[in-house]
Amino acid sequence: SIDPETGATIEMPDWDQLSPEENVIINNLLAKLHHNHRKAFELHRLGYKYSSSDPTQSMAVMLDKTPKTVQSWVEQAHKQILDLLGSSK
């Protein structure tokens, strides 16, 4: 995704490569997010698509929102996580 403030590309981490400690940190950060952002981020993290021809794979269908709204929630969650990580240093 793209950081709306800087225009820089934000690379998503490879969740399978995180250590147990890193997973605990991420889970603690997720708990601080708005519940809609957290749900969307977690679904995205699990590999679901914003929109899909298969309704069982569509985050928009699951969350009863437009794909654009769901994408915005994921991007906002990602930015908030990065901000929280920056403030914890």
Side-chain angles (χ1 to χ4, degrees):
S1 58
I2 304 293
D3 184 325
E5 292 177 12
T6 66
T9 301
I10 301 171
E11 294 296 324
M12 295 295 284
D14 181 354
W15 299 111
D16 295 329
Q17 300 299 318
L18 295 177
S19 71
E21 294 83 9
E22 290 168 325
N23 273 305
V24 168
I25 291 168
I26 293 294
N27 288 331
N28 288 339
L29 293 173
L30 288 174
K32 296 178 181 182
L33 300 179
H34 185 277
H35 69 279
N36 288 335
H37 296 177
R38 181 175 54 252
K39 282 192 273 187
F41 186 84
E42 289 175 336
L43 288 170
H44 186 68
R45 182 178 171 187
L46 292 171
Y48 290 95
K49 306 292 182 213
Y50 299 125
S51 179
S52 174
S53 58
D54 178 356
T56 65
Q57 296 297 311
S58 172
M59 293 167 53
V61 170
M62 288 182 221
L63 299 174
D64 195 28
K65 298 294 176 190
T66 67
K68 191 71 174 165
T69 296
V70 174
Q71 180 179 356
S72 175
W73 286 352
V74 171
E75 290 171 355
Q76 289 174 36
H78 191 216
K79 183 171 181 346
Q80 289 171 317
I81 289 169
L82 292 176
D83 289 346
L84 289 167
L85 285 171
S87 67
S88 65
K89 290 183 180 178

